[in-house]
Amino acid sequence: LSDLHELPEGWLATGPAFIGIGAPKCGTGWWYSLLLAHPQVVPNRANFPAAKELHYFVHFQSKPVSVADQLLYHQFFAAPPGAITGEFSTSYLAYPNCIEQVARAAPDAKILVMLRNPIDRMLSHLNHMQVNRAWWFEGVGTTQAKLFNHYPIYCEAAIHSLYAVGLRRLFRSYDRSQVLVLQYERCRQDPASELARTYRFLGLDDRFLPPDLQQKVNVFPYVLPRYTAEERQLLAAYFADDVAQTAELCPEIDLGLWRDFIHPTEE
């Protein structure tokens, strides 16, 4: 309870109206900031800096979430009459058991998913880790640094770019009507329309337009080189099956915006 802001007078602990479950480095910080810009949306009660992402359910791993644990989670979400609140934890889509635990704790919540070309997402993830985690290894030997770069970080980045397994679990846990799948590239192309669609999905007034739709959030300069054409081809072959399954699960995904996965005969 020490992680909760005091409950304002007249507000009710409602549980989350929406939960974003992933994926990381797909513009979720940007999109969450646009949700908070809406006058009918208030921040959750978490009083730590990264309040957008509670990552509550990753702490349980294979342990079942008790009723008390679920009730505590609900306490993070309070709003005045006519407003809603939620969170966006990018770990939930890929992390084992999280979607199932989310569904037990918040079966009525609306679920947001943001997906991005898995190759671009992976490079952004690796870059983010280099900028934000590599400093842990400053002063250690070259061997430890190589282990950091080539084992846990590379595998973590690849796993978060594999969407289909998490999506199948999601659609077993939630009705399709409760899930909105957004495509990062489409949001960048037409943020006003995609944001209005998101507002409507959440039951909000979709006529509201934030003053700065393109404001960058949680962006770090690239310290890693961009992938070469050959590297992109290798990664496209690796991700091809998952992308095909993702497109089958989510027909709203426009593969024309993920050109690494379009064959010349399909153009």
Side-chain angles (χ1 to χ4, degrees):
L1 293 178
S2 61
D3 287 332
L4 296 174
H5 284 297
E6 186 176 348
L7 186 65
E9 186 176 353
W11 288 34
L12 298 175
T14 59
F18 66 88
I19 303 172
I21 64 168
K25 309 314 296 178
C26 291
T28 60
W30 167 49
W31 217 244
Y32 183 73
S33 72
L34 294 176
L35 291 180
L36 290 183
H38 197 288
Q40 294 175 269
V41 181
V42 297
N44 61 57
R45 295 176 63 199
N47 66 6
F48 40 81
K52 167 210 168 196
E53 304 186 3
L54 301 186
H55 296 293
Y56 185 82
F57 296 98
V58 304
H59 300 290
F60 296 92
Q61 299 183 352
S62 58
K63 175 185 173 183
V65 179
S66 69
V67 172
D69 296 326
Q70 296 175 32
L71 292 175
L72 176 59
Y73 178 68
H74 277 234
Q75 289 297 312
F76 278 92
F77 306 97
I84 64 171
T85 187
E87 67 146 327
F88 217 126
S89 288
T90 56
S91 56
Y92 290 166
L93 183 64
Y95 201 94
N97 294 315
C98 271
I99 292 174
E100 293 78 8
Q101 292 170 336
V102 167
R104 283 192 288 272
D108 299 322
K110 293 187 176 181
I111 304 299
L112 300 174
V113 184
M114 290 192 76
L115 304 179
R116 180 183 184 182
N117 181 317
I119 298 172
D120 297 328
R121 197 222 65 80
M122 182 172 174
L123 180 61
S124 182
H125 192 130
L126 288 168
N127 187 74
H128 181 87
M129 294 300 97
Q130 285 290 332
V131 172
N132 290 282
R133 285 194 202 168
W135 64 269
W136 295 349
F137 287 80
E138 289 181 1
V140 303
T142 303
T143 299
Q144 290 95 324
K146 285 183 177 179
L147 287 172
F148 172 81
N149 287 328
H150 297 291
Y151 289 92
I153 295 306
Y154 196 83
C155 290
E156 175 188 327
I159 287 169
H160 280 287
S161 277
L162 294 168
Y163 306 135
V165 170
L167 290 168
R168 277 194 292 269
R169 290 166 45 228
L170 174 64
F171 292 132
R172 284 197 296 266
S173 299
Y174 283 93
D175 187 85
R176 292 242 173 187
S177 65
Q178 292 178 255
V179 179
L180 179 67
V181 177
L182 295 158
Q183 190 170 6
Y184 170 79
E185 294 80 5
R186 181 177 284 158
C187 291
R188 279 295 178 198
Q189 280 187 355
D190 190 2
S193 294
E194 291 302 292
L195 186 60
R197 188 163 73 96
T198 307
Y199 286 159
R200 286 194 299 274
F201 172 71
L202 296 177
L204 305 171
D205 182 355
D206 65 358
R207 296 170 296 178
F208 175 77
L209 195 64
D212 188 357
L213 286 175
Q214 297 289 0
Q215 182 179 2
K216 293 184 177 181
V217 176
N218 200 28
V219 175
F220 299 93
Y222 271 78
V223 297
L224 298 180
R226 305 287 178 166
Y227 289 131
T228 65
E230 184 178 18
E231 288 172 325
R232 293 191 75 94
Q233 289 174 358
L234 288 170
L235 288 169
Y238 175 74
F239 289 122
D241 288 344
D242 186 79
V243 167
Q245 294 169 36
T246 297
E248 185 176 355
L249 288 164
C250 304
E252 59 267 52
I253 293 294
D254 179 3
L255 290 183
L257 298 176
W258 293 355
R259 297 189 64 81
D260 298 277
F261 303 96
I262 296 295
H263 301 293
T265 56
E266 297 175 2
E267 297 190 24

